[in-house]
């Protein structure tokens, strides 16, 4: 009983946290912060003070402003990836599940191929081919993650296919688009949502990791992984520079993980979304 | 068992073939003219005529299928082309850096198993008490921690503040410690949860109840009936952890200046050194696939249902 309560509390806490971070990210331009990309070498590596609450980095840019605007990049890119996956994988997976036959085999074999590669290595390869930059990282992470979702959606589609209410809707003459929009998508949505929430943290770490290596977001654009990458060379003298963005990633990823975990416990009675390793 | 292993090895051939085709096709999407890159590498001024000649020399005027066949025949002879940057055979370069990466990933896998098994048992045995709560907190921290940040925090603590460990490079065991911990932290966290869930599930199972009814000793029940079943998902997840470690190694090698193939590959991305990238992804995928094969065989060894299902057909 106490664990169930604790669970609810962690879910509530992480939701509040994510709403705050989300609001700060959305309203960043109106918070009266300095320009996160403005270089001011006269004030480089300044300690925290009234002008710069968290001090400045090696180019004199305001660390707090970079953190806040970095949230837009980090969280925004993950949502872009999720949107791509939600559209594409749901389509591919449900077509495979509902049409079946040769179409199903072809789609599933394509998924198998994508799942043969180690994820981050394949993402790195795509970035190597497409070129570095945020858009290409988003594409690369999408390309390396979609197959896994498509597979799950196919599983859900297969289990829905033979449900009586779907059959009843068909018998009653519901066809095509309205069958999908009124009966199938609403049944799929919660499971896909839980799955996505559980995976957001993982994707954020991949985006930040690639940016840390210099393959993702390019300077001067603020992003948490890039900030840690920049701060590396000052680890001996200015360790706080790598502390703030790391803490930001850690807390947001943790909040998404706790939220996903709580949602799964609440929604997943079918056991479809079991724990997994990626 | 022998037939099972043979069948699994045979299925690898089409998989690896398709993988090589896909990698080849993705490479065709690359921006920039390979002929131009080739000329730059050979220090030839890129005149129209030189470009045309390079295209013929590289076989770029032929249809893609023929180009692939040419590449495939060479690859069978372990010729993966030359690096655009160093001009040396790509395979030679990769093999030079590979042992350091494998040492890192292997040590990471060992550490993962050595730590997560006792932790998982501890969590399951102390369910809903302090050890369980601690392990739960640990695994949430573990899966949320960016590995590159963890690496830097370790460097700050143990190299900058305490001066106990060298911050970078390869050498003795001291050099190995921080990279390996960084690399395996997340896998340990995931495995602890896996094992805990598995153990709790099997403690409640009917076979355990029956064993108890037959008077089997508690020790035997714990280690043979529960542990063996709970290990199955842990063993299957090992292959996946390895994939994560090969990817993680790229980041860890960069933080600790570990002279492995991942650091080399990041340089190849910056230099747009396509032959190196191609050989790198093929090599990593082959390692990944082979390790998953070993895991599957191990899996069949632990769980007779798997190999029997195959032989009944």
């Amino acid at each position: 009983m106490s664990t169930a309560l604790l669970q609810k509390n962690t879910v509530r806490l992480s939701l509040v946290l994510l709403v705050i971070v989300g609001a700060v990210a959305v309203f960043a331009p109106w918070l009266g912060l300095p320009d996160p990309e403005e270089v001011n070498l006269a004030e480089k590596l300044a300690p925290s003070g009234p002008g710069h609450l968290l001090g400045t980095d090696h180019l004199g840019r305001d660390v707090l402003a970079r953190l806040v605007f970095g949230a837009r990049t980090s969280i925004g890119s993950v949502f872009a990836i999720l949107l791509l996956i939600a559209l594409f994988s749901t389509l591919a997976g449900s077509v495979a599940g509902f049409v079946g036959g040769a179409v199903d085999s072809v789609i599933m074999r394509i998924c198998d191929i994508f799942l043969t590669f180690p994820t981050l290595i394949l993402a790195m390869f795509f970035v190597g081919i497409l070129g570095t930059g945020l858009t290409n990282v988003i594409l690369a992470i999408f390309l390396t993650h979609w197959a896994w979702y498509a597979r799950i959606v196919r599983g859900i589609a297969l289990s829905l296919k033979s449900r009586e209410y779907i059959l009843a809707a068909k018998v009653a003459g519901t066809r095509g688009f309205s069958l999908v929009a009124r009966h199938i998508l609403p049944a799929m949505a919660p499971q896909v949502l839980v799955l996505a929430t559980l995976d957001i943290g993982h994707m954020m770490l991949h985006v930040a990791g690639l940016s840390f290596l210099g393959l993702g977001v390019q300077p001067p654009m603020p992003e948490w992984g890039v900030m840690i990458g920049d701060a590396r060379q000052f680890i001996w003298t200015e360790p706080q520079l790598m502390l703030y963005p790391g803490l930001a990633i850690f807390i947001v990823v943790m909040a998404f993980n706790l939220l996903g975990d709580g949602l799964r416990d609440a929604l997943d009675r079918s056991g479809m979304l079991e724990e997994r390793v990626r | 068992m022998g037939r099972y292993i043979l069948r699994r090895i045979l299925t690898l051939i089409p998989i690896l073939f398709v993988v090589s085709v896909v990698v080849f096709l993705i490479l065709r999407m690359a921006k920039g003219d390979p002929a131009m890159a080739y000329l730059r590498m050979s220090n030839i001024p890129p005149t129209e005529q030189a470009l045309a000649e390079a295209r013929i020399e590289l076989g770029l005027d032929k249809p893609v299928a023929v180009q692939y066949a040419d590449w495939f025949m060479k690859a069978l002879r372990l010729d993966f082309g030359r690096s655009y940057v160093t001009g040396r055979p790509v395979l030679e370069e990769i093999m030079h850096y590979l042992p350091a990466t494998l040492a890192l990933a292997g040590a990471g896998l060992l550490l993962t198993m050595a730590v997560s098994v006792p932790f998982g048992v501890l969590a399951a045995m102390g369910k809903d008490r302090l050890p369980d709560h601690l392990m739960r907190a640990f695994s949430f921290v573990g899966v949320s921690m960016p590995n590159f940040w963890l690496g830097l925090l370790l460097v700050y603590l143990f190299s900058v503040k305490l001066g106990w460990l060298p911050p970078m490079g390869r050498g003795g065991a001291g050099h190995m410690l921080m990279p390996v911990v960084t690399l395996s932290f997340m896998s340990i966290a995931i495995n602890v949860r896996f094992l805990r869930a598995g153990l709790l599930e099997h403690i409640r199972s009917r076979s355990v109840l029956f064993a108890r009814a037959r008077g089997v000793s508690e020790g035997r029940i714990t280690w043979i009936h529960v542990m063996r079943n709970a290990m199955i998902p842990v063993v299957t997840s090992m292959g996946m952890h390895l994939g994560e470690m090969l990817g993680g190694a790229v980041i860890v090698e960069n933080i600790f200046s570990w002279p492995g193939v991942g650091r080399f590959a990041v340089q190849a991305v910056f230099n747009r050194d396509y032959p190196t990238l191609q050989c790198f992804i093929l090599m990593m995928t082959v390692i990944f696939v082979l390790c998953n094969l070993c895991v599957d065989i191990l899996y069949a060894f632990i769980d007779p249902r798997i190999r029997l299902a195959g032989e009944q057909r």
Side-chain angles (χ1 to χ4, degrees), chain A residues 121-236:
Chain A
I121 303 271
L122 183 61
M124 211 178 118
F125 180 65
F126 276 123
V127 172
I129 298 304
L130 301 168
T132 55
L134 182 60
T135 323
N136 290 340
V137 163
I138 290 174
L139 267 178
I141 308 246
F142 158 67
L143 285 170
T144 48
H145 283 72
W146 74 271
W148 190 79
Y149 282 81
R151 247 194 188 177
I152 303 268
V153 170
R154 173 181 174 270
I156 300 173
L158 281 181
S159 75
L160 284 176
K161 205 174 174 178
S162 52
R163 288 280 173 81
E164 281 173 1
Y165 76 94
I166 300 278
L167 294 176
K170 275 190 186 165
V171 171
T174 317
R175 287 277 183 280
F177 180 74
S178 72
L179 181 73
V180 173
R182 290 176 56 188
H183 298 290
I184 294 170
L185 279 184
M188 273 182 183
Q191 285 170 314
V192 175
L193 191 76
V194 173
L195 208 66
T197 317
L198 280 167
D199 220 23
I200 289 178
H202 198 84
M203 287 182 190
M204 276 190 77
L205 293 182
H206 274 190
V207 173
L210 287 170
S211 294
F212 169 79
L213 290 175
L215 304 179
V217 177
Q218 296 297 309
M221 197 181 187
E223 196 269 348
W224 293 339
V226 171
M227 288 176 76
I228 298 182
D230 282 345
R232 259 175 89 175
Q233 42 178 321
F234 302 103
I235 191 168
W236 295 86

Side-chain angles (χ1 to χ4, degrees), chain A residues 3 7 113 116-118 120-122 124-126 128-131 202 205 208-209 212-215 228 232 235-236 239 242-243 246-247 249-250 253-254 257-258 261 264 275-278, chain B residues 15 18-19 22-23 26-27 30-31 136 140-141 143-146 148-149 152-153 156 160 186 190 193-194 237 241 244 246-247 250 254-255 265-266 269-270 272 274 280-281 285 288-289:
Chain A
T3 17
Q7 193 113 66
I113 295 166
T116 310
F117 297 95
L120 196 62
I121 303 271
L122 183 61
M124 211 178 118
F125 180 65
F126 276 123
I129 298 304
L130 301 168
H202 198 84
L205 293 182
F212 169 79
L213 290 175
L215 304 179
I228 298 182
R232 259 175 89 175
I235 191 168
W236 295 86
M242 62 129 192
L243 200 65
L247 214 53
I249 300 178
F250 176 60
V253 170
M254 179 103 135
N257 283 343
L258 287 169
D261 209 54
R264 176 180 52 198
E275 264 181 84
R276 77 209 152 88
V277 205
R278 289 265 299 276
Chain B
I15 291 175
V18 173
V19 161
V22 169
V23 167
I26 296 172
L27 266 172
K31 270 187 252 161
R136 196 175 155 76
F140 265 112
V141 169
V143 294
S144 311
M145 182 75 101
F148 48 97
W149 190 51
L152 291 179
L153 287 179
Y156 179 68
V160 178
M186 184 181 279
I190 294 172
R193 295 185 66 175
F194 248 57
S237 72
H241 286 311
E244 197 78 356
L246 292 177
V250 175
N254 265 277
I255 296 173
V266 171
V269 172
F270 288 131
R272 300 208 155 210
Y274 298 135
F280 169 69
I281 188 169
T285 307
F288 185 51
V289 168

Side-chain angles (χ1 to χ4, degrees), chain A residues 32-49:
Chain A
L33 290 161
D35 183 348
E37 296 182 16
E38 194 187 77
V39 173
N40 182 359
L41 289 176
E43 284 189 41
K44 70 173 182 181
L45 299 174
S48 47

